[in-house]
Amino acid sequence: MSTRAIQTAVVGVGGYAGMELARLLLHHPQLNGAPPVFAGRGTSAAEASGGAPGSAVPLSTIHPRLMDNNGSAGLLVEPFSWKLFKSRGVEVLFLATPHEQSREWVPEALARGIRVIDLSGAWRLNESANRAVYKFEDEGKQSTDAVQAKSVYGMPELHRDDIRGAELIANPGCYATSIILALKPLVAKGWVDLQRGIVCDSKSGVSGAGKAPTAKTHFMYAADNLSAYGVFGHRHTGELLEQLELQPEQIVFTPHLLPIPRGILSTIYVWFKEAMDADRIKSCFDNFYAASPMVRVFSAGNLPQIQYSAYTNFCDIGFQLAKDGKRCVLVSCLDNLLKGAAGQAVQNLNLMYGWNEAEGLV
Amino acid sequence: MSTRAIQTAVVGVGGYAGMELARLLLHHPQLNGAPPVFAGRGTSAAEASGGAPGSAVPLSTIHPRLMDNNGSAGLLVEPFSWKLFKSRGVEVLFLATPHEQSREWVPEALARGIRVIDLSGAWRLNESANRAVYKFEDEGKQSTDAVQAKSVYGMPELHRDDIRGAELIANPGCYATSIILALKPLVAKGWVDLQRGIVCDSKSGVSGAGKAPTAKTHFMYAADNLSAYGVFGHRHTGELLEQLELQPEQIVFTPHLLPIPRGILSTIYVWFKEAMDADRIKSCFDNFYAASPMVRVFSAGNLPQIQYSAYTNFCDIGFQLAKDGKRCVLVSCLDNLLKGAAGQAVQNLNLMYGWNEAEGLV
Amino acid sequence: MSTRAIQTAVVGVGGYAGMELARLLLHHPQLNGAPPVFAGRGTSAAEASGGAPGSAVPLSTIHPRLMDNNGSAGLLVEPFSWKLFKSRGVEVLFLATPHEQSREWVPEALARGIRVIDLSGAWRLNESANRAVYKFEDEGKQSTDAVQAKSVYGMPELHRDDIRGAELIANPGCYATSIILALKPLVAKGWVDLQRGIVCDSKSGVSGAGKAPTAKTHFMYAADNLSAYGVFGHRHTGELLEQLELQPEQIVFTPHLLPIPRGILSTIYVWFKEAMDADRIKSCFDNFYAASPMVRVFSAGNLPQIQYSAYTNFCDIGFQLAKDGKRCVLVSCLDNLLKGAAGQAVQNLNLMYGWNEAEGLV
Amino acid sequence: MSTRAIQTAVVGVGGYAGMELARLLLHHPQLNGAPPVFAGRGTSAAEASGGAPGSAVPLSTIHPRLMDNNGSAGLLVEPFSWKLFKSRGVEVLFLATPHEQSREWVPEALARGIRVIDLSGAWRLNESANRAVYKFEDEGKQSTDAVQAKSVYGMPELHRDDIRGAELIANPGCYATSIILALKPLVAKGWVDLQRGIVCDSKSGVSGAGKAPTAKTHFMYAADNLSAYGVFGHRHTGELLEQLELQPEQIVFTPHLLPIPRGILSTIYVWFKEAMDADRIKSCFDNFYAASPMVRVFSAGNLPQIQYSAYTNFCDIGFQLAKDGKRCVLVSCLDNLLKGAAGQAVQNLNLMYGWNEAEGLV
């Protein structure tokens, strides 16, 4: 079959999302026989793992848990170079890199005819006002705008058709995925009283904060603790505004750092314009996600928990309606490294190559 | 000094709040020389610890961490009996018991001239509508109403004067303490737009769920997880309504179970009627808590975390105001077993006997 | 292909090992199209999940994380009955049940021509002295001995050939697996000084303690804690003695309860009879496990950690040798629910039906 | 009373042990009215907290949990300088600093007539062979040897009398404290068969690894994990050898990193020369620690757990003897930041000034 011919590459494989990408792609039924090309973030692959610059490092040295896994023993993580990708015939590139690097490398990749699935925030936002928080150096350039125009927000449940033919996928933010999937069906119906505002109180495991050792990723900071951060200023806010078509004053989003390795739970508070009943809400979700294998809608009053979707690619959505029919609490859960990052990226890959959307994900 | 003459007793010492009460009272400077009388919840002290009924059990068997602590080696937990309390001259009784038991025992204690600090929800609510969730069997009786009329809601920062002379203290709920202390100063000023509603998203460590082994207190349920529960129906809601003088539709309160032993963080969302500035809010808090040693007000934009107040009796309050001056996120933290239970109970004891409010607590 | 014809069943699917069995078998490439029959532990399937007795319960109600996973939406957990298994043509039965139930059900299953993979300790031990700790009621019966004689200790790395043709697999204990795999190659060589004794200090996540809510599985007991238990009396000790051919006084085994959901790390201390070098030890392990895809041998001085093998079916083995060449520390890690239970059970299934030993496991 | 005149200082207050020292000294009954002088590790106090160099920083900025605690609001952490200590009349100096700094500063302090309690490993070891692992630059100098000769190993249970008059206290290592206290009574009796060797398998919470953010203190490294480290090479080994008077080949010590904030549990395996009974062992411990308020000896077969002694200054010791009377498992627990560091340091302070040994510690 021709599927064997598709050569993927993962840049930034040393991080947590990179590790999950490696694991998923190494076991992907449609990629069997063609392991991804793995590259580090810098010109040296070894930088991510503290090794000497300039040379390749075994994948199992960087991620011992991937050792001998499905024949990965001999796999190497190599220094980033376009020459490497060309020599291996890379057709599609996953970037699990900081947004500055994605900003720099995506135009080059597209120019070389390589399709890109970018896991950073570099190409997710259409409005320059929303991008301001990233302080991109190339903001306002015509060539940049041309790349942004090609970018498809890689949330299959909302943009399935556009994803199929995309050259560039901007893989959504983890928080944004959990919130948008919970709100979109209701907001699209026009049921939510936007004048009263929507509150999104999200909680994420520590892997969301990245692999760099910092004061805030220290075990002693995170363990036995909970802390809010990025109040009124988190970068994922722009994704909420654009995908849900909201004004800034209509939503408040507060992320928190949970003392667990992985998983996000978003508790979302909406007021309906008029009194609703639970069946109507449930039907709305069921219809909206009827063709979406990676969203699980819970019955009314039955709320998802982080551990139901951890280590899966599902986004779980539940809700509870007050007796007045107007106040509603939505709860949305996903694994920030899978549906919130690497899993959703592979879901996008599946769509891009015409495979089953859930292939290699369940 | 006459302070030695005050004999306390703790009923329900086998639970988590009971253990903290024991620890605090055994080290309390004003009680030196008179250890509390410790009693179990049932007619048998041993019930709490799985021992044989009817006989006393060493405190250190039930709580090994209290062993030899300040001379506790010889201390016993005895079966509950009024005779016991009378023979020891108990003057003030701490009830760390289920609300059904507190409901039964408080009238008897008051009749015997014993002052009571009740840690359960039995006597916190003045409105019968708010009490409905407890399904008290004695609801509506005249004698019950008479006891309720004597009950003082034991939040020193709001009811300091009433506490001093109280016969019966209804020690506040842990969630309620964290939310009321954060909201009261602002709501009392009339600044909050109640028409838009207040959202209280609270997260608590597992000790708040009690010592009974259940499916939901199993390590495998709570660890690496987060779950919402009691949505639109948690028992502490009535305390919020009464102490903040709100209508039910003006507030939504969602508790969550955090994978940590102790600590509560409440993230509270308010909209102000008119645009505010941070200094005005900070001053409001500073003034309100000027005479309250157990509340720590953080500077604007500097948010408390659970671990700052864990293992202390402080309630920490911080806030962040949006640029529009209208949307405001409040964060409130406390240790659910201390300021949320045993610590606040001792704070009330201090007021009842004219001691320094923070005595034995820092 | 004839593989579709193999009908499996899982009894005790409500527990943790049962859940992992369900997950593995639902995704097993060789079982595609024939989901297992799922049964509860009692005559009522619902017992495990607190439902009403006597009727079937959706698998996703008992294990929400398995919802819609690979078409499991319509799957039910049914009350245990031989009639059920017969009507569905069950050929091989996984028992994830307490040892008393396995003791009762295995003879019946064999009599009915059903092959059994028993995850309990019921049939692991050949010596009656070693079985004494289980206090089996049928001990000493001739019919029982006949069943025991058929039992094969289901550790593929040691008994691969016997497993292939077995009617009854006694799936090894989780602690025993981690210790035996680390020690067997060295003990078999006769290098270890048994006169000095072997020390096995093992630590396990809480899932090993089972799903029943008890004082010891309470979050507050396990979290932020570590405790030793079962010293000189743990049931897995007999497996160590029999599989390693040791005398009781030659080994000390102490299990500990770790504050994590899953994973075992065993630190094992041996003294060699004569000074060794690291290469010789490494070669010994490499040779012993050359044909074993589920054991990963680490290079000298490079020790495995729990998180490398958690959520996998690998057993990771590493060692560090003292400069004197005589004192050696072995470290062995595995996931107690996978290589220590459900994963090893599926590994045995693979051997029993002539499939690739690692099929459906990586 | 003259106790008010004693001025303490804490250097390195920004770390975890420093924070506990600050907390303990601020509440110490004998120091009431004279808060310690707090200094950073470098010439700039701010270095520990990321602030600007050269200026003082509020203690509550570095440790928010100490905010307003017992009047600490106005307390500052100042740059390290001898001038500072002189101007404040510092009489006793706590060094919670890396061993290199302690090595440099202790001689100067002693020369200035300041008594020192050093929490590092700089002055704990008498034998140069044991010190080799530290690679001290001043090793072999006569002046260094003179300082070492003055150093008293600050374990009150073993060296109470020497501590009282000491100029320099080398506060013991956390692992070493847990192991030495468990073994000393038995080894001193000559009961232990040293020819068979002693195995010490220790597990510590992450605070023992220090506050610097590193790959190994990252939450994602430690959480849901367990790992052995420093096998055959941990720095505390020399303390075991010297205090227990053992030869290197008679003991194996393996530390592990536990996924908890604080606490150490050491599981220690000994073989007795002849069969013992449990009463004899229990009496041995009871007698040895009869005058030691900070050691709690458990009854035979009743083993301590980490959470019993966490947040206390106790070292808990228990044991279980095999039926053969020869194999014995000892379990020893303590809080690595208290009895393993700051608490033991204050215990030493108490002895140095003739106060009750447990003053300010329970």
Side-chain angles (χ1 to χ4, degrees):
Chain A
M1 232 180 111
S2 68
T3 55
R4 293 195 171 245
I6 293 170
Q7 179 62 59
T8 62
V10 178
V11 180
V13 72
Y16 302 129
M19 181 181 70
E20 293 296 326
L21 275 172
R23 188 179 61 79
L24 290 171
L25 295 173
L26 284 169
H27 294 84
H28 197 290
Q30 299 287 350
L31 297 174
N32 196 11
V37 174
F38 297 117
R41 284 183 186 181
T43 49
S44 163
E47 284 179 35
S49 60
S55 58
V57 176
L59 178 63
S60 63
T61 299
I62 296 177
H63 297 303
R65 71 186 73 189
L66 295 181
M67 190 174 13
D68 289 330
N69 204 337
N70 199 26
S72 68
L75 295 173
L76 297 175
V77 179
E78 305 182 68
F80 177 94
S81 84
W82 295 109
K83 198 173 158 189
L84 168 72
F85 302 145
K86 189 172 181 184
S87 71
R88 302 278 185 87
V90 169
E91 199 171 321
V92 56
L93 191 64
F94 291 87
L95 293 178
T97 43
H99 54 83
E100 297 88 347
Q101 289 190 327
S102 293
R103 201 74 181 175
E104 180 187 343
W105 289 338
V106 165
E108 174 88 15
L110 298 185
R112 289 169 175 271
I114 303 175
R115 297 174 89 176
V116 179
I117 300 174
D118 177 28
L119 280 73
S120 86
W123 303 99
R124 291 177 192 154
L125 300 168
N126 289 311
E127 304 295 326
S128 61
N130 292 329
R131 288 194 300 263
V133 67
Y134 284 100
K135 296 175 186 163
F136 293 130
E137 291 188 1
D138 59 358
E139 186 65 45
K141 283 191 187 173
Q142 203 174 352
S143 60
T144 306
D145 290 348
V147 171
Q148 181 62 44
K150 290 182 179 174
S151 175
V152 174
Y153 191 72
M155 190 174 281
E157 293 78 9
L158 268 64
H159 304 291
R160 196 167 276 120
D161 288 341
D162 289 342
I163 290 164
R164 288 197 174 97
E167 284 177 68
L168 168 58
I169 298 291
N171 213 57
C174 50
Y175 284 122
T177 301
S178 79
I179 293 170
I180 293 166
L181 288 175
L183 280 171
K184 187 70 182 181
L186 303 176
V187 169
K189 285 278 189 189
W191 292 344
V192 177
D193 185 351
L194 301 178
Q195 298 313 107
R196 294 196 67 157
I198 297 170
V199 169
C200 305
D201 191 282
S202 296
K203 303 89 176 173
S204 172
V206 182
S207 57
K211 199 173 179 177
T214 66
K216 298 197 174 185
T217 58
H218 196 295
F219 184 88
M220 294 296 292
Y221 181 93
D224 282 0
N225 200 14
L226 185 75
S227 55
Y229 66 98
V231 184
F232 296 118
H234 194 278
R235 286 169 173 167
H236 291 183
T237 308
E239 299 176 50
L240 306 182
L241 299 181
E242 295 192 5
Q243 298 298 320
L244 296 168
E245 299 177 61
L246 298 176
Q247 297 305 311
E249 65 275 13
Q250 293 173 331
I251 195 161
V252 181
F253 161 50
T254 306
H256 299 74
L257 188 68
L258 272 180
I260 65 174
R262 50 205 278 176
I264 283 178
L265 183 146
S266 292
T267 314
I268 304 168
Y269 300 81
V270 297
W271 278 259
F272 290 118
K273 289 174 183 166
E274 55 183 63
M276 301 284 291
D277 64 66
D279 288 349
R280 210 170 154 206
I281 297 168
K282 178 64 161 62
S283 296
C284 170
F285 280 116
D286 284 343
N287 292 336
F288 198 95
Y289 294 118
S292 290
M294 306 304 335
V295 173
R296 301 190 292 198
V297 178
F298 282 51
S299 58
N302 184 16
L303 301 177
Q305 305 181 2
I306 277 186
Q307 63 174 219
Y308 296 164
S309 53
Y311 298 94
T312 81
N313 193 50
F314 292 107
C315 177
D316 289 347
I317 299 173
F319 68 96
Q320 188 141 350
L321 189 64
K323 282 182 190 163
D324 59 26
K326 289 200 163 181
R327 291 171 295 156
C328 188
V329 174
L330 305 167
V331 173
S332 170
C333 293
L334 54 76
D335 185 312
N336 57 299
L337 295 180
L338 294 174
K339 182 61 176 169
Q344 188 150 249
V346 171
Q347 197 179 345
N348 284 317
L349 176 79
N350 290 337
L351 289 170
M352 289 164 79
Y353 287 90
W355 304 325
N356 183 317
E357 187 174 328
E359 188 85 56
L361 291 171
V362 290
Chain B
M1 231 180 114
S2 67
T3 55
R4 294 193 171 245
I6 293 170
Q7 178 63 58
T8 63
V10 178
V11 181
V13 72
Y16 301 130
M19 181 181 69
E20 292 296 328
L21 275 172
R23 187 179 61 79
L24 290 170
L25 296 174
L26 284 168
H27 294 84
H28 197 290
Q30 299 287 350
L31 298 174
N32 197 11
V37 174
F38 296 117
R41 282 185 187 180
T43 49
S44 162
E47 283 179 38
S49 62
S55 59
V57 176
L59 178 63
S60 64
T61 299
I62 297 177
H63 297 303
R65 71 187 73 190
L66 295 181
M67 188 173 16
D68 288 331
N69 205 337
N70 199 25
S72 69
L75 294 173
L76 297 175
V77 180
E78 304 182 69
F80 176 94
S81 85
W82 295 110
K83 198 173 157 188
L84 168 72
F85 302 145
K86 188 172 180 184
S87 71
R88 301 279 184 87
V90 169
E91 198 170 322
V92 57
L93 191 64
F94 291 87
L95 292 179
T97 44
H99 54 83
E100 297 87 347
Q101 289 191 327
S102 294
R103 201 74 181 176
E104 181 187 343
W105 289 340
V106 163
E108 175 86 17
L110 298 185
R112 288 171 177 269
I114 303 175
R115 298 174 90 175
V116 180
I117 300 175
D118 178 28
L119 279 73
S120 85
W123 304 99
R124 291 176 192 155
L125 300 168
N126 289 312
E127 304 295 326
S128 61
N130 292 330
R131 288 193 300 262
V133 68
Y134 284 100
K135 297 176 185 163
F136 293 130
E137 292 187 2
D138 59 358
E139 185 67 44
K141 284 192 186 170
Q142 202 174 354
S143 60
T144 305
D145 290 348
V147 171
Q148 182 63 44
K150 289 182 179 176
S151 175
V152 174
Y153 191 73
M155 189 173 282
E157 293 77 9
L158 269 63
H159 305 289
R160 195 166 277 119
D161 288 340
D162 290 343
I163 290 164
R164 289 198 174 96
E167 284 177 67
L168 168 59
I169 298 290
N171 212 57
C174 50
Y175 284 122
T177 300
S178 79
I179 294 170
I180 293 166
L181 288 175
L183 280 172
K184 187 69 183 182
L186 303 176
V187 169
K189 285 278 189 188
W191 292 343
V192 177
D193 184 352
L194 301 178
Q195 298 313 108
R196 295 196 65 157
I198 297 170
V199 169
C200 305
D201 191 282
S202 296
K203 302 91 175 173
S204 172
V206 182
S207 56
K211 199 174 180 177
T214 66
K216 298 197 175 186
T217 58
H218 196 296
F219 183 87
M220 294 297 291
Y221 181 94
D224 281 3
N225 201 13
L226 185 76
S227 54
Y229 67 97
V231 183
F232 296 118
H234 194 279
R235 286 171 173 165
H236 291 183
T237 309
E239 299 175 50
L240 307 182
L241 299 181
E242 296 192 5
Q243 298 298 319
L244 296 169
E245 299 177 61
L246 298 176
Q247 297 306 310
E249 65 274 12
Q250 293 172 331
I251 194 162
V252 181
F253 162 50
T254 305
H256 300 74
L257 187 68
L258 271 181
I260 64 173
R262 51 204 278 177
I264 284 179
L265 182 146
S266 292
T267 315
I268 303 168
Y269 301 82
V270 298
W271 279 259
F272 290 118
K273 290 174 182 166
E274 56 184 61
M276 301 283 291
D277 65 66
D279 288 349
R280 211 171 152 204
I281 297 168
K282 178 64 162 61
S283 296
C284 170
F285 279 116
D286 285 342
N287 293 335
F288 198 95
Y289 294 118
S292 291
M294 306 303 336
V295 173
R296 301 190 292 197
V297 179
F298 282 51
S299 57
N302 185 15
L303 301 177
Q305 305 181 1
I306 277 187
Q307 63 174 218
Y308 296 165
S309 53
Y311 299 92
T312 81
N313 192 50
F314 291 107
C315 178
D316 288 347
I317 299 173
F319 68 96
Q320 188 140 351
L321 189 64
K323 282 182 189 163
D324 58 27
K326 290 200 164 182
R327 291 171 294 157
C328 188
V329 174
L330 305 167
V331 173
S332 170
C333 293
L334 53 77
D335 185 312
N336 57 299
L337 295 179
L338 294 173
K339 182 61 177 168
Q344 188 150 248
V346 171
Q347 196 179 346
N348 284 316
L349 176 80
N350 290 337
L351 288 170
M352 289 165 79
Y353 288 91
W355 304 325
N356 182 318
E357 187 174 328
E359 187 86 55
L361 291 170
V362 289
Chain C
M1 234 181 111
S2 67
T3 56
R4 293 193 172 245
I6 293 169
Q7 179 62 59
T8 62
V10 178
V11 181
V13 72
Y16 301 129
M19 182 182 69
E20 292 296 328
L21 276 172
R23 188 179 62 80
L24 290 171
L25 296 174
L26 284 168
H27 294 84
H28 197 290
Q30 300 287 351
L31 298 174
N32 195 12
V37 174
F38 296 118
R41 283 183 185 181
T43 50
S44 163
E47 285 179 34
S49 62
S55 59
V57 177
L59 178 62
S60 63
T61 299
I62 296 178
H63 297 303
R65 71 185 74 188
L66 295 181
M67 190 175 12
D68 288 331
N69 206 336
N70 199 24
S72 68
L75 295 173
L76 297 175
V77 180
E78 304 182 70
F80 176 94
S81 85
W82 295 110
K83 199 174 157 189
L84 169 72
F85 302 145
K86 188 172 183 186
S87 71
R88 302 279 185 87
V90 168
E91 199 170 321
V92 57
L93 192 64
F94 290 87
L95 293 178
T97 43
H99 54 83
E100 296 89 347
Q101 289 191 328
S102 294
R103 201 74 181 175
E104 181 187 342
W105 289 339
V106 164
E108 174 85 16
L110 297 185
R112 289 169 176 272
I114 302 175
R115 297 174 90 175
V116 179
I117 300 175
D118 177 28
L119 279 74
S120 84
W123 304 98
R124 291 177 192 153
L125 300 168
N126 289 311
E127 305 295 327
S128 61
N130 292 330
R131 287 193 301 263
V133 67
Y134 283 100
K135 297 176 186 161
F136 293 129
E137 291 188 1
D138 59 358
E139 185 66 46
K141 284 192 186 171
Q142 201 173 356
S143 60
T144 305
D145 290 349
V147 172
Q148 181 63 45
K150 290 181 179 176
S151 176
V152 175
Y153 192 72
M155 189 173 282
E157 293 77 9
L158 269 64
H159 305 289
R160 196 167 276 120
D161 288 341
D162 291 342
I163 290 165
R164 289 198 174 97
E167 284 177 69
L168 169 58
I169 299 290
N171 212 57
C174 50
Y175 284 121
T177 301
S178 78
I179 294 169
I180 293 166
L181 288 175
L183 280 172
K184 187 69 183 181
L186 303 176
V187 169
K189 286 278 189 189
W191 293 343
V192 177
D193 184 351
L194 301 178
Q195 298 313 106
R196 294 197 65 157
I198 297 171
V199 169
C200 305
D201 191 282
S202 296
K203 304 90 175 173
S204 172
V206 182
S207 57
K211 200 173 178 176
T214 66
K216 298 197 175 186
T217 58
H218 196 296
F219 184 88
M220 294 297 292
Y221 181 93
D224 282 2
N225 201 13
L226 185 75
S227 54
Y229 67 97
V231 183
F232 295 118
H234 194 278
R235 286 171 173 165
H236 290 183
T237 308
E239 299 176 50
L240 306 182
L241 300 181
E242 295 193 6
Q243 298 298 319
L244 296 169
E245 299 177 60
L246 298 176
Q247 298 305 310
E249 65 274 14
Q250 292 172 331
I251 194 162
V252 181
F253 161 50
T254 305
H256 299 73
L257 187 68
L258 271 181
I260 64 173
R262 49 204 279 175
I264 284 179
L265 184 147
S266 292
T267 314
I268 304 168
Y269 300 82
V270 297
W271 279 258
F272 291 118
K273 290 174 183 165
E274 55 185 61
M276 301 283 292
D277 66 66
D279 287 349
R280 210 171 155 205
I281 297 169
K282 178 65 161 61
S283 296
C284 171
F285 279 116
D286 284 342
N287 292 336
F288 198 94
Y289 293 119
S292 290
M294 306 305 334
V295 173
R296 300 190 294 198
V297 178
F298 281 51
S299 57
N302 184 15
L303 301 177
Q305 304 181 3
I306 277 187
Q307 63 173 221
Y308 296 164
S309 53
Y311 299 93
T312 81
N313 192 51
F314 291 108
C315 177
D316 288 346
I317 299 172
F319 68 96
Q320 188 141 352
L321 188 64
K323 284 183 189 162
D324 58 27
K326 289 201 163 181
R327 291 171 296 157
C328 187
V329 174
L330 305 167
V331 173
S332 170
C333 292
L334 52 77
D335 184 313
N336 57 301
L337 296 180
L338 293 173
K339 183 59 177 169
Q344 189 150 248
V346 171
Q347 197 179 345
N348 285 316
L349 176 80
N350 289 337
L351 289 170
M352 289 165 79
Y353 288 90
W355 303 325
N356 182 316
E357 186 173 330
E359 187 85 54
L361 291 170
V362 289
Chain D
M1 233 179 112
S2 67
T3 56
R4 296 196 169 241
I6 293 170
Q7 179 62 58
T8 63
V10 178
V11 180
V13 73
Y16 302 131
M19 182 181 70
E20 293 296 327
L21 275 172
R23 188 179 62 79
L24 290 170
L25 296 174
L26 283 168
H27 293 86
H28 197 291
Q30 300 286 351
L31 297 174
N32 196 11
V37 174
F38 296 116
R41 284 183 185 182
T43 49
S44 162
E47 283 179 37
S49 62
S55 59
V57 176
L59 178 63
S60 63
T61 299
I62 297 177
H63 297 303
R65 72 186 73 188
L66 295 181
M67 190 175 11
D68 288 331
N69 206 337
N70 199 26
S72 68
L75 295 172
L76 296 175
V77 180
E78 304 183 69
F80 177 94
S81 85
W82 294 111
K83 197 173 157 189
L84 168 71
F85 302 144
K86 188 171 182 186
S87 72
R88 302 279 185 87
V90 169
E91 198 169 321
V92 57
L93 191 64
F94 291 87
L95 292 178
T97 43
H99 55 83
E100 296 88 348
Q101 289 190 328
S102 293
R103 201 75 180 176
E104 180 187 342
W105 288 340
V106 164
E108 174 86 16
L110 298 185
R112 288 170 175 270
I114 303 175
R115 297 174 90 173
V116 179
I117 300 175
D118 177 27
L119 279 74
S120 85
W123 304 98
R124 292 177 191 154
L125 300 167
N126 289 311
E127 304 295 326
S128 60
N130 292 330
R131 287 194 301 262
V133 67
Y134 284 100
K135 296 175 187 162
F136 293 129
E137 291 187 2
D138 59 358
E139 185 66 46
K141 284 192 186 171
Q142 200 173 355
S143 60
T144 305
D145 290 348
V147 172
Q148 182 62 45
K150 290 181 179 175
S151 175
V152 175
Y153 192 72
M155 189 174 281
E157 294 77 10
L158 269 64
H159 305 289
R160 196 168 276 120
D161 288 342
D162 290 342
I163 290 164
R164 288 198 175 97
E167 282 177 69
L168 168 59
I169 298 290
N171 213 57
C174 50
Y175 284 121
T177 300
S178 78
I179 294 170
I180 294 167
L181 289 175
L183 280 172
K184 188 68 183 182
L186 303 176
V187 170
K189 285 279 189 188
W191 292 343
V192 177
D193 184 351
L194 300 178
Q195 298 313 105
R196 294 197 65 157
I198 297 171
V199 169
C200 304
D201 191 282
S202 296
K203 303 90 175 173
S204 172
V206 182
S207 57
K211 200 174 180 177
T214 66
K216 299 198 174 185
T217 59
H218 196 294
F219 183 88
M220 294 297 292
Y221 181 93
D224 282 2
N225 202 15
L226 185 75
S227 55
Y229 67 97
V231 183
F232 296 118
H234 194 279
R235 285 170 173 166
H236 291 183
T237 308
E239 298 176 50
L240 306 182
L241 300 181
E242 295 193 4
Q243 298 297 319
L244 296 169
E245 299 176 61
L246 298 176
Q247 298 305 311
E249 66 273 14
Q250 292 172 331
I251 195 161
V252 182
F253 161 50
T254 306
H256 299 74
L257 187 68
L258 270 181
I260 65 173
R262 50 204 278 176
I264 284 178
L265 183 146
S266 292
T267 314
I268 304 168
Y269 301 82
V270 298
W271 279 259
F272 290 117
K273 289 175 183 166
E274 57 183 59
M276 300 284 291
D277 65 66
D279 287 350
R280 208 169 156 206
I281 297 169
K282 178 66 162 60
S283 297
C284 169
F285 280 117
D286 284 342
N287 292 336
F288 198 94
Y289 293 119
S292 290
M294 305 305 334
V295 173
R296 302 190 293 198
V297 178
F298 281 51
S299 58
N302 185 16
L303 300 177
Q305 305 181 2
I306 277 185
Q307 63 174 220
Y308 296 164
S309 53
Y311 299 93
T312 81
N313 192 49
F314 291 107
C315 178
D316 289 347
I317 299 172
F319 68 96
Q320 189 141 350
L321 189 63
K323 284 182 189 163
D324 59 27
K326 290 200 164 180
R327 290 171 297 157
C328 188
V329 174
L330 305 167
V331 174
S332 169
C333 292
L334 53 78
D335 185 313
N336 57 300
L337 295 179
L338 294 174
K339 182 61 176 169
Q344 188 150 249
V346 171
Q347 196 179 346
N348 284 317
L349 175 80
N350 290 337
L351 288 170
M352 289 164 79
Y353 288 90
W355 304 325
N356 181 317
E357 186 173 330
E359 188 86 54
L361 290 170
V362 290

